[in-house]
Protein backbone atom coordinates (compact mmCIF):
# COMPACT_ATOMS: atom_id res chain seq x y z
CA UNK A 1 0.00 0.00 0.00
CA UNK A 2 1.32 3.40 -0.95
CA UNK A 3 0.19 6.04 1.50
CA UNK A 4 -0.67 9.60 0.50
CA UNK A 5 -0.67 8.94 -3.18
CA UNK A 6 -2.53 11.00 -5.71
CA UNK A 7 -6.22 10.32 -6.29
CA UNK A 8 -6.95 7.39 -8.52
CA UNK A 9 -8.51 8.74 -11.70
CA UNK A 10 -11.08 6.49 -13.30
CA UNK A 11 -12.49 7.06 -16.74
CA UNK A 12 -15.48 5.36 -18.32
CA UNK A 13 -13.45 2.39 -19.57
CA UNK A 14 -11.97 1.83 -16.09
CA UNK A 15 -15.39 1.99 -14.54
CA UNK A 16 -16.83 -0.55 -16.92
CA UNK A 17 -13.79 -2.75 -16.50
CA UNK A 18 -14.29 -2.70 -12.72
CA UNK A 19 -18.04 -3.17 -12.75
CA UNK A 20 -18.95 -5.33 -15.73
CA UNK A 21 -16.43 -8.15 -15.42
CA UNK A 22 -16.76 -9.24 -11.81
CA UNK A 23 -18.30 -12.50 -12.96
CA UNK A 24 -18.39 -14.57 -16.13
CA UNK A 25 -14.87 -13.48 -17.07
CA UNK A 26 -14.22 -14.97 -20.52
CA UNK A 27 -12.94 -18.55 -20.39
CA UNK A 28 -11.33 -18.32 -23.81
CA UNK A 29 -7.75 -18.39 -25.01
CA UNK A 30 -7.52 -14.58 -25.20
CA UNK A 31 -9.83 -13.36 -22.41
CA UNK A 32 -8.37 -9.85 -22.25
CA UNK A 33 -8.90 -9.47 -25.99
CA UNK A 34 -12.55 -10.47 -25.50
CA UNK A 35 -12.92 -7.86 -22.75
CA UNK A 36 -11.17 -5.29 -24.94
CA UNK A 37 -13.57 -5.92 -27.77
CA UNK A 38 -16.57 -5.31 -25.52
CA UNK A 39 -15.07 -2.06 -24.28
CA UNK A 40 -13.97 -0.87 -27.69
CA UNK A 41 -10.24 -0.74 -26.96
CA UNK A 42 -7.38 -3.12 -27.69
CA UNK A 43 -5.99 -6.00 -25.66
CA UNK A 44 -2.76 -4.25 -24.71
CA UNK A 45 -4.74 -1.35 -23.28
CA UNK A 46 -6.86 -3.66 -21.11
CA UNK A 47 -3.68 -5.27 -19.75
CA UNK A 48 -2.20 -1.82 -19.03
CA UNK A 49 -5.36 -0.68 -17.27
CA UNK A 50 -5.54 -3.82 -15.13
CA UNK A 51 -1.87 -3.38 -14.19
CA UNK A 52 -2.57 0.18 -13.14
CA UNK A 53 -5.76 -0.62 -11.21
CA UNK A 54 -3.98 -3.50 -9.48
CA UNK A 55 -0.97 -1.48 -8.46
CA UNK A 56 -3.29 1.29 -7.23
CA UNK A 57 -5.05 -1.29 -5.04
CA UNK A 58 -8.49 -0.95 -6.67
CA UNK A 59 -8.28 -4.45 -8.12
CA UNK A 60 -7.27 -7.32 -5.90
CA UNK A 61 -7.00 -9.79 -8.79
CA UNK A 62 -8.71 -11.22 -11.82
CA UNK A 63 -9.63 -14.68 -10.69
CA UNK A 64 -11.97 -16.90 -8.75
CA UNK A 65 -13.92 -16.24 -5.59
CA UNK A 66 -14.14 -19.65 -3.98
CA UNK A 67 -16.78 -21.17 -1.81
CA UNK A 68 -15.32 -21.72 1.64
CA UNK A 69 -13.79 -25.15 2.08
CA UNK A 70 -14.87 -27.04 5.11
CA UNK A 71 -11.79 -28.03 7.06
CA UNK A 72 -12.29 -28.44 10.75
CA UNK A 73 -14.69 -26.28 12.73
CA UNK A 74 -15.36 -22.57 12.90
CA UNK A 75 -17.66 -20.13 14.59
CA UNK A 76 -18.37 -16.44 15.03
CA UNK A 77 -18.00 -15.27 18.62
CA UNK A 78 -19.16 -12.10 20.36
CA UNK A 79 -18.50 -10.54 23.74
CA UNK A 80 -20.03 -7.60 25.59
CA UNK A 81 -16.89 -5.96 26.97
CA UNK A 82 -16.92 -2.88 29.22
CA UNK A 83 -15.42 -0.02 27.21
CA UNK A 84 -12.47 0.44 29.54
CA UNK A 85 -11.46 -3.22 29.12
CA UNK A 86 -11.92 -3.48 25.36
CA UNK A 87 -8.25 -3.09 24.36
CA UNK A 88 -7.07 -5.52 27.03
CA UNK A 89 -9.66 -8.18 26.15
CA UNK A 90 -9.08 -7.76 22.41
CA UNK A 91 -5.38 -8.30 22.99
CA UNK A 92 -6.00 -11.44 24.99
CA UNK A 93 -8.34 -12.80 22.31
CA UNK A 94 -5.68 -12.09 19.65
CA UNK A 95 -3.15 -14.29 21.43
CA UNK A 96 -5.07 -17.39 20.33
CA UNK A 97 -3.90 -18.69 16.97
CA UNK A 98 -7.47 -19.92 16.38
CA UNK A 99 -8.65 -16.29 16.07
CA UNK A 100 -8.54 -14.79 12.60
CA UNK A 101 -10.75 -11.74 12.39
CA UNK A 102 -11.26 -9.65 15.49
CA UNK A 103 -13.26 -6.43 15.26
CA UNK A 104 -14.89 -3.85 17.41
CA UNK A 105 -18.53 -3.26 16.51
CA UNK A 106 -20.90 -0.59 17.75
CA UNK A 107 -23.25 -2.52 20.00
CA UNK A 108 -23.46 -3.79 23.57
CA UNK A 109 -21.80 -6.87 22.07
CA UNK A 110 -18.80 -4.86 20.95
CA UNK A 111 -16.08 -7.46 20.27
CA UNK A 112 -16.55 -9.89 17.38
CA UNK A 113 -14.11 -12.54 16.24
CA UNK A 114 -13.96 -15.65 14.10
CA UNK A 115 -12.53 -18.87 15.51
CA UNK A 116 -11.30 -21.76 13.38
CA UNK A 117 -9.89 -24.97 14.80
CA UNK A 118 -9.35 -28.59 13.90
CA UNK A 119 -12.53 -29.69 15.65
CA UNK A 120 -15.46 -28.62 17.82
CA UNK A 121 -13.70 -29.73 21.01
CA UNK A 122 -10.84 -27.30 20.46
CA UNK A 123 -13.30 -24.49 19.69
CA UNK A 124 -15.10 -25.18 22.97
CA UNK A 125 -11.78 -25.18 24.86
CA UNK A 126 -10.75 -21.81 23.43
CA UNK A 127 -14.12 -20.28 24.27
CA UNK A 128 -13.96 -21.63 27.78
CA UNK A 129 -10.45 -20.33 28.27
CA UNK A 130 -11.38 -16.84 27.02
CA UNK A 131 -14.38 -16.82 29.36
CA UNK A 132 -12.26 -18.02 32.26
CA UNK A 133 -9.52 -15.47 31.75
CA UNK A 134 -11.82 -12.50 31.17
CA UNK A 135 -14.84 -13.35 33.30
CA UNK A 136 -17.00 -12.36 30.31
CA UNK A 137 -19.40 -14.68 28.57
CA UNK A 138 -18.69 -15.54 24.90
CA UNK A 139 -21.64 -15.91 22.51
CA UNK A 140 -20.98 -18.85 20.21
CA UNK A 141 -22.74 -18.24 16.86
CA UNK A 142 -21.78 -20.92 14.32
CA UNK A 143 -23.01 -20.62 10.75
CA UNK A 144 -26.02 -22.85 10.15
CA UNK A 145 -26.71 -21.95 6.52
CA UNK A 146 -25.39 -19.58 3.87
CA UNK A 147 -27.87 -17.84 1.58
CA UNK A 148 -25.77 -15.32 -0.29
CA UNK A 149 -25.18 -15.78 -3.98
CA UNK A 150 -22.07 -13.87 -4.95
CA UNK A 151 -22.72 -11.98 -8.17
CA UNK A 152 -20.02 -9.42 -7.60
CA UNK A 153 -20.42 -5.95 -6.15
CA UNK A 154 -22.16 -3.27 -8.21
CA UNK A 155 -20.20 -0.02 -8.10
CA UNK A 156 -21.95 3.32 -8.18
CA UNK A 157 -19.95 6.26 -9.35
CA UNK A 158 -22.07 9.22 -8.41
CA UNK B 1 -30.60 -21.22 -7.38
CA UNK B 2 -29.77 -23.72 -4.72
CA UNK B 3 -29.32 -22.86 -1.10
CA UNK B 4 -25.97 -23.76 0.31
CA UNK B 5 -26.67 -25.32 3.64
CA UNK B 6 -23.02 -25.70 4.47
CA UNK B 7 -19.51 -25.29 3.23
CA UNK B 8 -18.34 -27.58 0.50
CA UNK B 9 -16.08 -30.52 1.25
CA UNK B 10 -12.42 -30.14 0.42
CA UNK B 11 -11.61 -30.40 -3.29
CA UNK B 12 -11.36 -34.13 -4.08
CA UNK B 13 -9.74 -34.06 -7.52
CA UNK B 14 -6.01 -33.34 -7.17
CA UNK B 15 -5.80 -31.61 -10.55
CA UNK B 16 -8.72 -29.33 -9.64
CA UNK B 17 -7.03 -28.59 -6.31
CA UNK B 18 -3.74 -27.73 -8.04
CA UNK B 19 -5.57 -25.60 -10.60
CA UNK B 20 -7.45 -23.65 -7.93
CA UNK B 21 -4.23 -23.12 -6.00
CA UNK B 22 -2.62 -21.81 -9.18
CA UNK B 23 -5.40 -19.34 -10.09
CA UNK B 24 -6.56 -18.20 -6.66
CA UNK B 25 -4.00 -15.41 -6.55
CA UNK B 26 -5.20 -14.12 -9.92
CA UNK B 27 -4.60 -14.72 -13.59
CA UNK B 28 -1.33 -13.48 -15.08
CA UNK B 29 -1.80 -10.20 -16.93
CA UNK B 30 -0.56 -11.52 -20.23
CA UNK B 31 -2.46 -12.27 -23.45
CA UNK B 32 -2.81 -16.04 -22.90
CA UNK B 33 -3.21 -16.32 -19.11
CA UNK B 34 -4.78 -19.78 -19.16
CA UNK B 35 -1.90 -21.10 -21.25
CA UNK B 36 0.56 -19.79 -18.65
CA UNK B 37 -1.36 -21.59 -15.90
CA UNK B 38 -1.57 -24.73 -18.04
CA UNK B 39 2.19 -24.74 -18.66
CA UNK B 40 2.90 -24.45 -14.96
CA UNK B 41 0.69 -27.46 -14.23
CA UNK B 42 1.70 -29.47 -17.28
CA UNK B 43 -1.85 -29.41 -18.63
CA UNK B 44 -3.34 -28.40 -21.96
CA UNK B 45 -4.82 -24.89 -22.09
CA UNK B 46 -8.12 -26.41 -23.25
CA UNK B 47 -8.25 -28.63 -20.16
CA UNK B 48 -7.71 -25.62 -17.89
CA UNK B 49 -10.62 -23.85 -19.58
CA UNK B 50 -12.91 -26.89 -19.29
CA UNK B 51 -12.04 -27.47 -15.65
CA UNK B 52 -12.54 -23.82 -14.67
CA UNK B 53 -15.94 -23.82 -16.41
CA UNK B 54 -16.92 -26.99 -14.58
CA UNK B 55 -15.77 -25.66 -11.20
CA UNK B 56 -17.84 -22.53 -11.82
CA UNK B 57 -20.92 -24.50 -12.86
CA UNK B 58 -20.67 -26.71 -9.80
CA UNK B 59 -20.42 -23.71 -7.47
CA UNK B 60 -16.94 -24.45 -6.13
CA UNK B 61 -16.02 -21.17 -7.81
CA UNK B 62 -18.74 -18.72 -6.76
CA UNK B 63 -17.72 -16.29 -9.46
CA UNK B 64 -14.75 -15.73 -11.73
CA UNK B 65 -13.71 -12.23 -12.68
CA UNK B 66 -12.40 -8.88 -11.49
CA UNK B 67 -12.23 -8.81 -7.69
CA UNK B 68 -12.32 -5.20 -6.51
CA UNK B 69 -11.27 -3.75 -3.17
CA UNK B 70 -14.31 -1.90 -1.89
CA UNK B 71 -12.39 0.44 0.34
CA UNK B 72 -9.97 1.57 -2.33
CA UNK B 73 -12.99 2.49 -4.44
CA UNK B 74 -14.51 4.58 -1.69
CA UNK B 75 -16.87 2.07 -0.06
CA UNK B 76 -15.64 2.92 3.40
CA UNK B 77 -18.52 1.94 5.66
CA UNK B 78 -19.76 -1.50 6.42
CA UNK B 79 -22.24 -2.81 8.90
CA UNK B 80 -23.25 -6.21 10.09
CA UNK B 81 -27.03 -6.06 10.01
CA UNK B 82 -28.76 -8.73 12.08
CA UNK B 83 -32.43 -9.72 12.00
CA UNK B 84 -34.68 -11.51 14.49
CA UNK B 85 -36.99 -13.66 12.40
CA UNK B 86 -39.43 -16.47 13.11
CA UNK B 87 -37.51 -19.68 12.36
CA UNK B 88 -39.79 -20.55 9.46
CA UNK B 89 -39.02 -17.28 7.68
CA UNK B 90 -35.22 -17.33 7.98
CA UNK B 91 -34.58 -19.30 4.80
CA UNK B 92 -36.86 -17.27 2.58
CA UNK B 93 -35.73 -13.89 3.94
CA UNK B 94 -32.08 -14.99 3.95
CA UNK B 95 -32.25 -15.83 0.27
CA UNK B 96 -34.04 -12.59 -0.61
CA UNK B 97 -31.59 -10.43 1.33
CA UNK B 98 -28.66 -12.45 -0.01
CA UNK B 99 -29.73 -11.72 -3.57
CA UNK B 100 -29.69 -7.91 -3.10
CA UNK B 101 -26.67 -6.42 -4.84
CA UNK B 102 -25.42 -4.46 -1.85
CA UNK B 103 -25.65 -7.38 0.58
CA UNK B 104 -22.37 -9.30 0.58
CA UNK B 105 -23.08 -12.01 3.16
CA UNK B 106 -26.25 -13.69 4.40
CA UNK B 107 -25.94 -16.37 7.09
CA UNK B 108 -28.27 -18.16 9.43
CA UNK B 109 -26.85 -18.44 12.94
CA UNK B 110 -28.49 -19.51 16.22
CA UNK B 111 -30.15 -17.01 18.54
CA UNK B 112 -28.91 -16.94 22.12
CA UNK B 113 -31.77 -15.79 24.28
CA UNK B 114 -32.18 -13.66 26.24
CA UNK B 115 -29.06 -11.75 25.14
CA UNK B 116 -29.16 -12.26 21.42
CA UNK B 117 -32.46 -12.63 19.57
CA UNK B 118 -31.03 -12.36 16.04
CA UNK B 119 -30.81 -15.39 13.76
CA UNK B 120 -30.02 -13.92 10.33
CA UNK B 121 -26.72 -12.09 9.73
CA UNK B 122 -26.08 -9.90 6.70
CA UNK B 123 -23.25 -7.56 5.69
CA UNK B 124 -23.98 -4.29 3.92
CA UNK B 125 -21.35 -2.01 2.35
CA UNK B 126 -21.76 1.64 1.41
CA UNK B 127 -19.75 4.78 0.79
CA UNK B 128 -20.53 6.12 4.25
CA UNK B 129 -22.73 5.48 7.26
CA UNK B 130 -25.70 7.36 5.85
CA UNK B 131 -25.51 5.29 2.66
CA UNK B 132 -25.44 2.06 4.65
CA UNK B 133 -28.46 3.14 6.72
CA UNK B 134 -30.36 4.03 3.54
CA UNK B 135 -29.57 0.59 2.14
CA UNK B 136 -30.85 -1.04 5.33
CA UNK B 137 -34.16 0.78 4.80
CA UNK B 138 -34.20 -0.28 1.15
CA UNK B 139 -33.59 -3.89 2.21
CA UNK B 140 -36.51 -3.69 4.64
CA UNK B 141 -38.81 -2.33 1.95
CA UNK B 142 -37.79 -4.87 -0.65
CA UNK B 143 -38.01 -7.89 1.64
CA UNK B 144 -41.05 -7.01 3.71
CA UNK B 145 -39.06 -6.52 6.90
CA UNK B 146 -40.60 -3.28 8.21
CA UNK B 147 -41.66 -4.46 11.72
CA UNK B 148 -38.91 -7.02 12.10
CA UNK B 149 -36.51 -6.39 14.95
CA UNK B 150 -33.02 -5.69 13.61
CA UNK B 151 -29.74 -4.14 14.69
CA UNK B 152 -27.06 -2.35 12.66
CA UNK B 153 -23.53 -2.96 13.95
CA UNK B 154 -21.04 -0.63 12.29
CA UNK B 155 -17.43 -1.72 12.48
CA UNK B 156 -15.00 0.12 14.70
CA UNK B 157 -11.38 -0.76 15.37
CA UNK B 158 -9.87 -3.77 13.69
CA UNK B 159 -7.81 -5.78 16.14
CA UNK B 160 -6.86 -8.63 13.82
CA UNK B 161 -7.53 -9.62 10.25
CA UNK B 162 -6.00 -12.69 8.77
CA UNK B 163 -7.31 -15.05 6.12
CA UNK B 164 -8.98 -18.11 7.59
CA UNK B 165 -6.71 -21.08 7.25
CA UNK B 166 -8.38 -23.35 4.79
CA UNK B 167 -6.43 -26.17 3.25
CA UNK B 168 -7.05 -25.16 -0.28
CA UNK B 169 -7.51 -21.65 -1.33
CA UNK B 170 -8.46 -18.85 0.96
CA UNK B 171 -11.76 -17.10 0.56
CA UNK B 172 -12.09 -13.46 -0.14
CA UNK B 173 -15.11 -12.54 1.92
CA UNK B 174 -14.08 -12.08 5.53
CA UNK B 175 -16.99 -12.99 7.79
CA UNK B 176 -16.87 -9.71 9.61
CA UNK B 177 -16.29 -7.44 6.66
CA UNK B 178 -13.45 -4.98 6.55
CA UNK B 179 -12.65 -2.34 9.07
CA UNK B 180 -12.79 1.36 8.40
CA UNK B 181 -9.24 2.00 9.48
CA UNK B 182 -7.79 1.16 6.08
CA UNK B 183 -10.12 3.42 4.19
CA UNK B 184 -8.17 5.68 1.88
CA UNK B 185 -10.64 8.54 2.09
CA UNK B 186 -11.36 10.77 -0.84
CA UNK B 187 -8.61 9.62 -3.16
CA UNK B 188 -10.96 8.47 -5.88
CA UNK B 189 -11.70 10.82 -8.71
CA UNK B 190 -13.74 10.35 -11.83
CA UNK B 191 -12.80 11.79 -15.16
CA UNK B 192 -14.79 12.04 -18.33
Amino acid sequence: MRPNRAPLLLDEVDRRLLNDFQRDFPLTERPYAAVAERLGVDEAEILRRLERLSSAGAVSRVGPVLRPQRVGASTLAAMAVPAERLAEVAELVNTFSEVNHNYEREHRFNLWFVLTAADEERLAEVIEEIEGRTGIEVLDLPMLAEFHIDLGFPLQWT
Amino acid sequence: MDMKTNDSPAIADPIDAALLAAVQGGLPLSPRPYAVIADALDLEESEVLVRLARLTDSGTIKRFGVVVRHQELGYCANAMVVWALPEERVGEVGRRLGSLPFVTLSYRRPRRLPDWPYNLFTMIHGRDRAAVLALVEEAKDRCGLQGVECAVLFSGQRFKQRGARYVAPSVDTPPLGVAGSRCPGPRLALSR
Side-chain angles (χ1 to χ4, degrees):
Chain A
M1 304 268 284
R2 293 174 300 157
N4 304 320
R5 59 211 154 168
L8 178 62
L9 280 163
L10 300 176
D11 66 12
E12 178 62 19
V13 173
D14 289 324
R15 285 181 252 171
R16 290 186 59 198
L17 186 54
L18 289 167
N19 196 60
D20 298 355
F21 298 92
Q22 294 188 23
R23 52 193 284 242
D24 302 328
F25 199 76
L27 289 172
T28 54
E29 291 181 4
R30 305 278 292 266
Y32 303 112
V35 169
E37 193 175 344
R38 277 177 55 189
L39 296 182
V41 298
D42 67 27
E43 183 186 42
E45 181 174 342
I46 290 299
L47 290 167
R48 270 199 309 276
R49 285 174 182 269
L50 284 170
E51 294 274 8
R52 170 176 169 268
L53 292 167
S54 298
S55 60
V59 166
S60 159
R61 63 185 181 277
V62 178
V65 174
L66 301 172
R67 195 196 297 179
Q69 306 300 306
R70 173 127 83 150
V71 179
S74 70
T75 194
L76 175 64
M79 300 173 77
V81 183
E84 68 278 11
R85 291 188 59 196
L86 185 62
E88 162 222 332
V89 173
E91 195 175 333
L92 184 145
V93 166
N94 277 354
T95 61
F96 288 87
S97 62
E98 287 83 2
V99 171
N100 33 75
H101 303 273
N102 184 11
Y103 281 82
E104 177 187 18
R105 288 202 174 269
E106 297 174 12
H107 191 269
R108 187 170 77 82
F109 284 94
N110 54 353
L111 190 64
W112 290 79
F113 49 95
V114 175
L115 292 169
T116 58
D119 52 40
E120 302 287 344
E121 288 70 30
R122 179 60 192 153
L123 279 189
E125 272 174 24
V126 172
I127 288 172
E128 198 174 320
E129 191 170 342
I130 291 173
E131 287 181 329
R133 288 170 64 181
T134 60
I136 299 170
E137 187 193 359
V138 174
L139 285 189
D140 176 12
L141 303 166
M143 193 220 295
L144 303 177
E146 180 188 358
F147 303 115
H148 176 242
I149 295 155
D150 191 342
L151 301 178
F153 188 79
L155 299 163
Q156 290 167 345
W157 306 109
T158 49
Chain B
M1 293 272 193
D2 62 325
M3 183 186 81
K4 284 158 281 182
T5 51
N6 222 321
D7 297 353
S8 60
I11 309 296
D13 181 311
I15 297 177
D16 281 347
L19 176 57
L20 289 173
V23 298
Q24 68 173 328
L27 293 178
L29 294 177
S30 60
R32 299 270 299 267
Y34 303 111
V36 174
I37 301 281
D39 279 350
L41 298 175
D42 209 12
L43 297 172
E44 294 295 323
E45 183 183 29
S46 57
E47 185 176 358
V48 165
L49 293 169
V50 166
R51 282 178 179 269
L52 288 174
R54 199 171 60 217
L55 287 163
T56 303
D57 288 343
S58 70
T60 298
I61 294 175
K62 293 169 78 169
R63 62 180 170 93
F64 195 103
V66 176
V67 180
V68 301
R69 289 201 176 92
H70 299 152
Q71 292 187 344
E72 294 289 330
L73 291 167
Y75 287 78
C76 294
N78 79 77
M80 186 170 75
V81 184
V82 292
W83 313 83
L85 288 159
E87 294 301 329
E88 67 276 10
R89 280 194 74 194
V90 175
E92 167 233 324
V93 173
R95 278 187 290 278
R96 290 182 70 178
L97 284 171
S99 71
L100 296 178
F102 50 82
V103 172
T104 56
L105 294 174
S106 178
Y107 291 144
R108 178 184 206 142
R109 298 183 186 275
R111 15 171 151 254
R112 300 294 187 203
L113 296 173
D115 289 328
W116 188 260
Y118 309 103
N119 52 1
L120 183 67
F121 289 59
T122 54
M123 187 68 65
I124 293 182
H125 294 263
R127 293 204 176 273
D128 52 38
R129 295 172 73 103
V132 170
L133 291 172
L135 291 170
V136 172
E137 290 308 308
E138 186 180 336
K140 287 182 187 173
D141 287 342
R142 287 171 67 171
C143 299
L145 296 172
Q146 281 308 344
V148 170
E149 188 181 358
C150 78
V152 180
L153 284 73
F154 281 101
S155 59
Q157 285 176 266
R158 180 184 62 208
F159 297 113
K160 193 182 209 179
Q161 182 178 24
R162 184 187 72 198
R165 293 163 306 160
Y166 295 103
V167 163
S170 60
V171 287
D172 113 298
T173 44
L176 295 180
V178 281
S181 53
R182 269 195 329 196
C183 208
R187 57 169 289 271
L188 178 87
L190 301 179
S191 63
R192 296 279 164 197

